[in-house]
Amino acid sequence: MQHSEGYVRSEIEHGIATIEFFHPSSNSLPSAILNDLAKTINDIGIDDRVKVIILRSAGDRAFCAGASFDELVAISSEAEGKKFFSGFANVINAMRKCHKFIIGRIQGKAVGGGVGLASAVDYAIATEDAAVKLSELAVGIGPFVVGPAVERKVGLSSFSQLAIDATEWRSAEWAKKHGLYAELHGSVEEMDDSVKALAERLSHSSPEAMASLKKVFWQGTEHWDTLLADRAAVSGRLVLSEFTRNAINKFKAKTVR
């Protein structure tokens, strides 16, 4: 699905589905891309040709800069705010409910919602440049929607450190040490080789065994449809504050480097 700015694309080859998203602003996520991502994950999740999924973003810099600032600034009501943040909730829930393992290819920095995506994959393979930051508090909101996914991977203590220290990057090494990344590689080529090798191995594994394992890994998250919708309402309310308006306008001048 192509948009005037950015796209979500998928392809299936030998039982491996690759879903790629792109946006010119450091792969940030406006509503249109979030909606397409959720729909694509849901559709591929029920496609019998697919045994395993790779989630990746385009380009060789940022993996994902999180929410689209342009869209955040334009939100003018709580209902609109909830709807926007529900886009993230829908993507995370689609990943959670998908019966297939999702391998994350994390080639660069992840911010905010991007950390949420990296947390919701089942196995993340990253480069040493893939630092992480939950910047939400710095703009007057908080990582409410992505929080459960991040906390599930790194634990409450590490999640709260990320959420509180909202302006500082944590290195890819930190992310691996705390369980967000399964592997780190020195180059994009090495990362891609590893992603490909794992995907190929999984494409020959028992779909039934993988689906049952996935259920085990996500046990205790059955209430997330409601939880993440409630969290989206909190962010949707906070995004209307004067504090957030001013902070985002300042931030818009700085993109992910």
Side-chain angles (χ1 to χ4, degrees):
M1 288 157 271
Q2 194 90 22
H3 301 284
S4 53
E5 285 201 323
Y7 62 76
V8 175
R9 288 181 191 154
S10 61
E11 60 176 37
I12 299 168
E13 210 176 304
H14 307 306
I16 300 166
T18 302
I19 301 173
E20 179 179 274
F21 64 92
F22 168 73
H23 191 274
S25 299
S26 303
N27 288 325
S28 63
L29 297 167
S31 292
I33 297 221
L34 288 168
N35 295 342
D36 282 356
L37 256 184
K39 185 182 183 317
T40 304
I41 293 164
N42 284 328
D43 291 348
I44 282 179
I46 55 173
D47 189 323
D48 291 337
R49 294 172 297 164
V50 176
K51 304 289 185 287
V52 61
I53 297 168
I54 296 167
L55 179 70
R56 54 174 288 159
S57 62
D60 54 5
R61 300 200 58 188
F63 168 67
C64 175
S68 159
F69 279 159
D70 289 339
E71 214 161 315
L72 286 180
V73 174
I75 292 169
S76 60
S77 69
E78 281 191 30
E80 263 180 43
K82 181 178 180 183
K83 191 175 174 203
F84 174 74
F85 287 103
S86 293
F88 284 96
N90 294 340
V91 172
I92 290 170
N93 279 323
M95 291 165 83
R96 169 176 74 86
K97 290 175 185 172
C98 175
H99 296 309
K100 284 136 195 181
F101 286 145
I102 301 174
I103 302 168
R105 174 195 182 271
I106 321 291
Q107 83 279 19
K109 291 178 171 176
V111 185
V115 181
L117 287 189
S119 300
V121 302
D122 298 295
Y123 194 98
I125 299 177
T127 67
E128 289 165 359
D129 297 323
V132 295
K133 176 164 72 169
L134 287 179
S135 57
E136 286 89 341
L137 188 61
V139 293
I141 47 180
F144 295 107
V145 176
V146 300
V150 180
E151 184 187 329
R152 175 180 160 268
K153 271 284 161 80
V154 304
L156 181 59
S157 172
S158 299
F159 163 57
S160 55
Q161 288 168 35
L162 277 176
I164 290 169
D165 194 5
T167 59
E168 294 305 308
W169 292 98
R170 294 287 191 275
S171 69
E173 194 57 58
W174 182 94
K176 180 173 184 283
K177 189 175 145 198
H178 292 87
L180 178 58
Y181 299 152
E183 299 174 20
L184 278 191
H185 295 278
S187 70
V188 167
E189 292 72 31
E190 285 171 28
M191 169 189 65
D192 281 336
D193 287 346
S194 184
V195 167
K196 186 168 180 259
L198 178 62
E200 282 174 0
R201 284 200 304 278
L202 292 175
S203 73
H204 295 105
S205 298
S206 156
E208 207 180 326
M210 290 190 288
S212 298
L213 256 182
K214 175 129 182 182
K215 217 174 241 178
V216 169
F217 296 153
W218 286 87
Q219 204 172 350
T221 62
E222 294 79 8
H223 62 300
W224 278 22
D225 280 341
T226 316
L227 174 69
L228 300 193
D230 292 348
R231 294 287 188 89
V234 177
S235 290
R237 189 179 72 244
L238 287 168
V239 80
L240 298 171
S241 71
E242 193 67 26
F243 185 99
T244 296
R245 297 264 177 244
N246 295 337
I248 289 175
N249 283 323
K250 274 184 213 153
F251 255 87
K252 275 178 72 178
K254 310 172 196 165
T255 51
V256 179
R257 292 282 174 252

